[in-house]
Amino acid sequence: MTAVTFGDFLDQATGHLDAALAGWDQDTAHPTAAARQLHRLVGVMARHMDDITPWDETEALSRTDLTLWQHAAVDVTTALHLAADSLQHGLESHPDDGFAATAPARHLGDVATALIAGRDLLETHHALSPDGLTQERTEWGRVTGSALIAKTITGQLTRWSERLAPWTAELALHLLDDLGGEVFTAARWLRTAGAAARSAQRADPVSADELTLLRAIPSAAPPARQAPAAGEKPEQLCQGITLSAARLQAASRDTARRAQWSPSVTAGAWQWTATAGAITSHLSENLLRSLARRAAQLGLPAADAIHAAADTMAGARAAWHQVATTWDQITTETRFLASPAVAEAGDLVLRLGRLTWDDPAWTPAVHRVTQPRPAPADVSAIMTMVAAVHRSACAYAQVAAADLSAVHAADRAGRLYVPTRTLPDSYDIPRPYATAPAQRTSVLIGAYRVAVYASDQAASALDRVVLAADAPSRPLALARAAAAWPQDSGPPGQPVHTGGAPAGHRTAAEPAGPIEAAMRRLGIRDAGLLLRAAAVDKAGRSLIAQAQLTAGQPDQRPEQGYSRAAGPAQLAAASFPKGPLMGLRSPAPTAPRHPGVPGQVPRSTPARPRQGDTGKRV
Amino acid sequence: MPHIDTLHAHLQSARNLPALLVASWDAFDFLRATTHAGADPGSGAYAGFMLASASATQARDAIGFAPSMPAEAAMPDNDVSRIDGVPVQPGMLAGLAGILSGRLTAAARQAGDPGDRDALARAATAAEQIRSLLGGDP
């Protein structure tokens, strides 16, 4: 019944990482296979960082609005790409010898696989629009694209890099010649990645709540429906409400686009959903008041906040009631077709009714009116019920916003009608229904706006309760808070990509430029500074290349000061001059090689671009 | 605001499909308005009345779009504000819904136009839901 979350994959990956790093069995371990799987893992980590780092080093340098974590993410991304490059280079002359199933290679491969699955899970919350732009597909899309999640993932991958670095250095000792040298270089870049976020971590540590939020991100696919059954116990009802709320939210997505044309999006379904919203709010209010009284009896500090949430729920009920009433006089050309949202809203009403009233087979029929269910006596059960109401309220906050957009779209498409007799006599229409005049649809849209506000107020009031009381729906409250933060992307549902010419990371094979060379002459050994210097050089090269294209001149590189005989290993070695394998360096390649970023699985959509994304990717 | 007995009489006396559609439209709009007025948030019956009201609106509009619905039919003005405060007896409303369900189901079987058949069947289903919500089976 529980949906898979990012935390599930994180746990799997961490378990395999622990196993991989547990020790080195000289008899069974196969170092080349381990290096190959390490390459795959580091590549996946780099791709993860690509997803959350929409700036390259050049842009990061020129921006003054980036946080410490965002600057760190740029450095971590670059370092991981460089580590992947080194491993790729080292493995090029070592064909796969089929020892991937031996430890620790197998564990490293499993870490990579779990990480790919987690990345895919995050991507389910985005989709491509018809014009090729990436849009948020779900309410979690805004969260997964938030600075807060980027920070937490950066923190997580930084820790992994830190753990992998010494192990990778040890792995290098088991390898010969050029591969050993490249693996050692990779170890240095992993160490750089591991150190890149230290100042950010000191200034703004990743909190337990932030990790909780990352772990709680679910897949966009809704859980399977489970129809309510009479006699469900309170904990089953709470689980069912969670499930129905998730499915209702999923069903409400995309209605705005379909509302313009689809006969399956009807006034009847909207009115029914609004009616269910009023009933759900009414039931929630009653349940919360009962829980607030019990909480007060138990001396719980949350009692007042629960009572306040009940008050906001009364406001939501009134708002939804008004929406339902307004639909009495407005319709669409197809009046009613059962929609997924109708089914889910119905399940939610039944389960919430059975949790509120003392009747395990309650239905909305008036003859089943009964007494409220006695509130539970233990705090945990109270908070489980509060969490169920919270999830339901958050679902309706989403439904209100989605239906407002959808009704707007239906209005623009001329799909709303009113009974002719309700129009002034000046209308001479020989049909029972006529296109709804603007003043009538504006009343409906106004009612929806009030419902959006009131539903959000109710959800926010419950956010406060669950955060203060640490109720089971705490991750949902954290997600709503994260989504409300200032974003790098636009508002939900809006394209978040502004395009831009690809700039590209500096690959390890590219020659160091004059800025980086000057830094080295000055004796600078700080990897972060060297990375930024390399970025400035890269930007200069891109600018010159662009100018050459504009001027119609061929590429004249290498130019004086832009060529470098040394390869990536030497760059790394210069950054970390005390490494044990300095003497193992192989001759650097004389021509740029294709950077290797393994671990990429075929994707139906490209990695999502963001606002400000310059398209940099190796 | 028509009296419920008048609506009963109109339904019983309708001798052709257009007359039945007009009488049904009136009856459903009456049910919509009265159940809406009965939806008291202070009562445990709020859910039942709200759903019955929504079902009545569905049925009324299904009838309104039936091809045989006379375009010139005068539609009553069942203003909710004029019903507020009048005690609503769910059993009586359920009885009216039961009559609607029976007559519309029978008419749906006989209707020649698919559009009429569909509208009548939808309205009959909604009438049955209203009957179940307001009086219904224990």
Side-chain angles (χ1 to χ4, degrees):
Chain A
M1 197 137 153
T2 307
V4 64
T5 66
F6 188 81
D8 296 329
F9 295 119
L10 204 54
D11 286 343
Q12 282 180 26
T14 305
H16 288 299
L17 187 66
D18 291 344
L21 306 187
W24 185 266
D25 187 335
Q26 190 68 45
D27 296 331
T28 59
H30 196 280
T32 307
R36 197 170 299 284
Q37 294 305 316
L38 176 67
H39 174 226
R40 180 166 169 251
L41 170 59
V42 173
V44 175
M45 291 165 68
R47 291 290 299 170
H48 241 305
M49 291 304 301
D50 281 343
D51 292 344
I52 60 173
T53 315
W55 318 274
D56 64 9
E57 301 88 339
T58 311
E59 187 180 354
L61 276 174
S62 63
R63 287 181 60 160
T64 57
D65 59 331
L66 299 188
T67 64
L68 274 175
W69 274 105
Q70 287 166 331
H71 278 295
V74 172
D75 292 344
V76 172
T77 306
T78 304
L80 286 174
H81 274 286
L82 289 168
D85 288 348
S86 295
L87 290 164
Q88 160 104 353
H89 188 223
L91 288 163
E92 275 170 356
S93 56
H94 294 264
D96 191 348
D97 46 13
F99 285 92
T102 59
R106 175 168 55 83
H107 292 304
L108 289 173
D110 288 342
V111 179
T113 301
L115 206 52
I116 289 169
R119 181 168 174 255
D120 287 347
L121 180 145
L122 297 181
E123 285 297 320
T124 63
H125 296 285
H126 294 84
L128 282 184
S129 67
D131 49 4
L133 301 179
T134 299
Q135 289 182 308
E136 288 155 9
R137 181 171 163 242
T138 74
E139 60 282 358
W140 280 93
R142 186 150 195 166
V143 177
T144 59
S146 69
L148 194 145
I149 288 297
K151 166 190 169 184
T152 313
I153 290 176
T154 303
Q156 192 71 30
L157 295 186
T158 298
R159 274 196 299 278
W160 286 9
S161 300
E162 210 167 3
R163 293 185 65 192
L164 280 166
W167 183 89
T168 304
E170 186 185 341
L171 172 65
L173 297 174
H174 299 283
L175 295 160
L176 298 175
D177 304 330
D178 56 330
L179 178 55
E182 293 290 0
V183 170
F184 189 75
T185 303
R188 289 171 165 166
W189 285 123
L190 286 170
R191 195 169 67 184
T192 303
R198 275 182 195 153
S199 56
Q201 181 67 29
R202 273 195 299 271
D204 178 22
V206 175
S207 69
D209 274 348
E210 288 161 350
L211 193 56
T212 298
L213 178 59
L214 174 67
R215 295 178 54 82
I217 296 172
S219 163
R225 184 185 177 212
Q226 290 192 355
E232 286 179 323
K233 297 185 185 314
E235 56 271 27
Q236 292 172 310
L237 290 168
C238 290
Q239 287 175 351
I241 288 166
T242 299
L243 187 146
S244 297
R247 288 183 58 82
L248 176 61
Q249 273 186 300
S252 72
R253 291 170 197 150
D254 203 29
T255 51
R257 186 180 60 78
R258 287 186 292 118
Q260 296 176 38
W261 56 269
S262 173
S264 68
V265 182
T266 64
W270 275 316
Q271 185 183 34
W272 204 96
T273 307
T275 301
I279 296 168
T280 300
S281 304
H282 181 248
L283 294 167
S284 299
E285 179 196 350
N286 279 282
L287 180 56
L288 288 172
R289 292 207 191 285
S290 169
L291 295 173
R293 281 192 294 273
R294 180 54 54 91
Q297 289 166 0
L298 296 173
L300 299 182
D304 287 345
I306 297 173
H307 193 77
D311 290 341
T312 62
M313 204 56 83
R317 184 209 57 75
W320 280 113
H321 189 117
Q322 186 57 40
V323 172
T325 304
T326 308
W327 275 116
D328 277 356
Q329 300 299 339
I330 298 179
T331 188
T332 49
E333 76 289 346
T334 44
R335 179 61 205 174
F336 185 83
L337 286 171
S339 67
V342 166
E344 303 310 332
D347 287 356
L348 197 52
V349 163
L350 268 187
R351 285 178 162 130
L352 205 48
R354 290 170 185 174
L355 197 60
T356 303
W357 305 115
D358 197 14
D359 178 358
W362 178 88
T363 70
V366 296
H367 69 270
R368 296 205 73 106
V369 172
T370 184
Q371 295 300 308
R373 172 194 288 273
D378 67 292
V379 178
S380 171
I382 289 173
M383 287 308 157
T384 299
M385 288 188 182
V386 168
V389 175
H390 178 223
R391 291 186 174 107
S392 164
C394 291
Y396 266 100
Q398 165 97 9
V399 168
D403 282 3
L404 171 61
S405 298
V407 169
H408 256 305
D411 184 27
R412 284 194 299 270
R415 289 193 62 211
L416 301 181
Y417 301 87
V418 295
T420 306
R421 63 109 179 140
T422 63
L423 296 173
D425 291 341
S426 55
Y427 285 77
D428 182 19
I429 299 169
R431 296 185 304 277
Y433 291 91
T435 302
Q439 62 266 35
R440 300 285 289 278
T441 57
S442 67
V443 172
L444 179 65
I445 288 166
Y448 266 108
R449 287 204 174 109
V450 174
V452 168
Y453 175 78
S455 299
D456 189 62
Q457 289 291 104
S460 298
L462 285 161
D463 284 344
R464 289 190 284 277
V465 175
V466 302
L467 287 173
D470 201 18
S473 60
R474 182 183 183 84
L476 183 57
L478 294 171
R480 282 171 46 82
W485 276 21
Q487 302 291 306
D488 301 316
S489 59
Q494 297 299 311
V496 292
H497 176 50
T498 57
H505 281 291
R506 174 175 69 83
T507 70
E510 287 177 299
I515 307 296
E516 184 182 341
M519 298 274 282
R520 292 184 184 284
R521 282 197 298 274
L522 289 171
I524 299 298
R525 292 291 180 266
D526 182 285
L529 287 176
L530 290 173
L531 280 174
R532 291 174 189 179
V536 174
D537 288 329
K538 172 75 178 175
R541 283 195 294 273
S542 295
L543 183 62
I544 290 169
Q546 200 168 2
Q548 286 168 336
L549 278 175
T550 304
Q553 295 174 8
D555 187 353
Q556 296 173 356
R557 288 192 301 167
E559 296 174 3
Q560 187 70 30
Y562 273 79
S563 63
R564 178 175 70 172
Q570 283 180 324
L571 169 64
S575 301
F576 301 96
K578 295 179 183 175
L581 297 181
M582 290 289 287
L584 295 179
R585 312 295 339 122
S586 60
T590 53
R593 55 179 158 77
H594 294 292
V597 182
Q600 288 180 255
V601 292
R603 307 176 71 79
S604 57
T605 59
R608 76 178 179 280
R610 308 272 178 76
Q611 189 170 22
D613 191 344
T614 54
K616 56 98 186 173
R617 297 291 179 264
V618 272
Chain B
M1 188 78 194
H3 192 275
I4 193 166
D5 292 340
T6 309
L7 295 167
H8 271 280
H10 284 171
L11 280 172
Q12 302 289 9
S13 64
R15 295 289 173 240
N16 54 41
L17 184 55
L20 177 62
L21 289 170
V22 171
S24 299
W25 202 101
D26 291 353
F28 278 123
D29 200 54
F30 173 84
L31 285 170
R32 174 195 64 78
T34 48
T35 49
H36 193 107
D40 174 13
S43 158
Y46 178 78
F49 278 110
M50 283 295 287
L51 286 173
S53 183
S55 292
T57 309
Q58 314 288 345
R60 181 202 63 181
D61 289 344
I63 293 289
F65 279 107
S68 296
M69 178 74 177
E72 69 280 7
M75 296 178 177
D77 186 9
N78 290 321
D79 188 347
V80 172
S81 64
R82 286 155 53 188
I83 301 173
D84 277 346
V86 177
V88 176
Q89 297 181 17
M92 290 179 64
L93 300 179
L96 178 60
I99 291 172
L100 277 164
S101 172
R103 291 237 45 194
L104 293 170
T105 301
R109 287 197 204 101
Q110 296 170 1
D113 187 304
D116 285 333
R117 268 203 305 276
D118 182 62
L120 290 162
R122 284 177 185 277
T125 302
E128 189 54 32
Q129 287 169 347
I130 296 167
R131 190 192 66 76
S132 176
L133 284 164
L134 298 183
D137 307 315

